[in-house]
């Protein structure tokens, strides 16, 4: 896979995640936003571990 396609596969979801976090978090305080970001990142790591077969 070319490097530019790989980087887009990483950059686009991060940008979408930031936009959604901003949209949802408009009424939240900073601690709630940080907690939401942390929980989401933990879920992403869990999904990656499951997809890669717990290696």
């Amino acid at each position: 896979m070319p490097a530019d396609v790989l980087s887009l596969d990483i950059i686009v979801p991060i940008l979408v995640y930031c936009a959604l976090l901003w949209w949802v978090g408009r009424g939240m305080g900073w601690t709630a936003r940080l907690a939401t970001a942390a929980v989401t990142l933990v879920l992403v790591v869990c999904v990656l571990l499951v997809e890669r077969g717990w290696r």
Side-chain angles (χ1 to χ4, degrees):
M1 186 177 291
D4 58 342
V5 175
L6 182 62
S7 65
L8 283 179
D9 286 347
I10 295 171
I11 293 172
V12 172
I14 290 173
L15 289 175
V16 171
Y17 169 71
C18 290
L20 285 172
L21 184 60
W22 173 80
W23 180 259
V24 170
R26 288 183 301 161
M28 294 181 182
W30 280 104
T31 54
R33 286 185 193 184
L34 289 175
T36 303
V39 168
T40 305
L41 291 174
V42 167
L43 289 173
V44 167
V45 168
C46 289
V47 167
L48 286 174
L49 286 174
V50 169
E51 282 184 353
R52 295 176 187 261
W54 298 97
R55 282 192 250 173

